[in-house]
Amino acid sequence: MTSFSDSLRAAFSLILSLDPVLWAVVMRSLAVSASACALGCVLGVAAGAFLGVTRFRGRGMVIGLLNTLLALPSVVVGLVVYLLLSRSGPLGFLGWLFSFNAMVVAQTVLVLPLVTALTRQIVQDAENTHGEQWTSLGAGPCLRAALLAWDERLALLTVGVTAFGRAIAEVGAVMIVGGNIDGFTRVMTTAIALETSKGDLPLALGLGLVLLAVVGLMHALIAALRWAALRWNASVVQPLTPRLWG
């Protein structure tokens, strides 16, 4: 029996027995990443949709900077947020360093460029296809952005899932601003790093399996929603279209 198989068996035992230490870390990690993803999606979709339908001087530079930020390392994000929230930083009065809120801020900063850039591309492509129709009906930039974003809601939902996966799988930013404090700011990725270094491989492997399962479940949900949307369009929308225009 190899060490890996022993660790794998012990990891499944921890998961199935609802080990309180493991599941406390999992729930905290889900709460942090879901909060950051929700905030990042609200801000990123709004900013990306606006960039997708408007033209202004310096827009190319903004898009170039946005695309550059896609490769921003999580440790750099953690360092910047740490400096902002530290006692001598401009936001030090909040007292958020080494807290749940600090980790949410760091992950929001991390996913915001991703959501904004992908939304901008999706909405811009939709604008090139359908924008003239909405413009001819008198829709301004803000209304066009909202309508096109709604039309592309399934694609934007995929963007949201991608952002969630980016947030929940990162380790550098939350390690720096959260401090990996047991029972308070320890999440799945930081716990995996710590438990591996301590030699507690079953707990680390169990957390890794749960992390993979969460991301896989999110993508399966998106696939199911896409399948349902296609079925709805084929069985309801298309048959009704000739009658509505009849």
Side-chain angles (χ1 to χ4, degrees):
M1 189 71 69
T2 65
S3 175
F4 177 78
S5 60
D6 289 338
S7 298
L8 189 62
R9 177 178 296 181
F12 276 113
S13 177
L14 289 173
I15 295 171
L16 297 177
S17 64
L18 302 180
D19 179 75
V21 174
L22 183 147
W23 285 105
V25 172
V26 170
M27 297 309 295
R28 188 179 306 113
S29 184
L30 291 175
V32 170
S33 298
S35 300
C37 186
L39 185 57
C41 284
V42 169
L43 298 175
V45 169
F50 178 79
L51 280 174
V53 301
T54 57
R55 301 294 183 270
F56 54 87
R57 182 175 297 179
R59 180 176 179 270
M61 293 181 60
V62 172
I63 293 174
L65 176 62
L66 192 62
N67 291 335
T68 301
L69 292 177
L70 291 175
L72 189 64
S74 61
V75 289
V76 175
V77 173
L79 174 61
V80 172
V81 175
Y82 179 92
L83 293 174
L84 291 174
L85 295 178
S86 64
R87 188 170 296 180
S88 59
L91 300 178
F93 65 92
L94 294 173
W96 283 1
L97 194 61
F98 304 134
S99 70
F100 179 95
N101 291 337
M103 295 191 294
V104 171
V105 170
Q107 289 195 353
T108 300
V109 174
L110 189 66
V111 303
L112 186 57
L114 175 67
V115 176
T116 305
L118 293 179
T119 300
R120 193 274 308 172
Q121 188 62 60
I122 290 170
V123 172
Q124 182 174 310
D125 291 343
E127 166 83 353
N128 293 336
T129 305
H130 307 294
E132 291 184 0
Q133 175 185 354
W134 293 117
T135 302
S136 65
L137 295 174
C142 291
L143 181 57
R144 288 205 318 276
L147 291 171
L148 292 171
W150 175 252
D151 285 343
E152 300 296 330
R153 56 192 179 276
L154 284 179
L156 295 180
L157 191 58
T158 303
V159 171
V161 172
T162 303
F164 180 81
R166 168 81 159 127
I168 202 169
E170 76 85 23
V171 60
V174 292
M175 180 78 81
I176 292 173
V177 303
N180 199 22
I181 303 171
D182 188 19
F184 293 96
T185 60
R186 186 164 296 171
V187 294
M188 282 191 281
T189 51
T190 60
I192 290 170
L194 178 65
E195 300 303 331
T196 301
S197 66
K198 289 167 54 179
D200 192 350
L201 299 181
L203 181 55
L205 189 56
L207 289 168
L209 292 172
V210 173
L211 180 60
L212 288 174
V214 168
V215 175
L217 183 62
M218 294 296 294
H219 284 282
L221 178 61
I222 293 300
L225 289 174
R226 285 184 173 276
W227 177 82
L230 290 173
R231 288 291 303 270
W232 171 265
N233 185 64
S235 61
V236 177
V237 176
Q238 291 180 1
L240 277 177
T241 301
R243 300 179 188 177
L244 292 175
W245 291 98

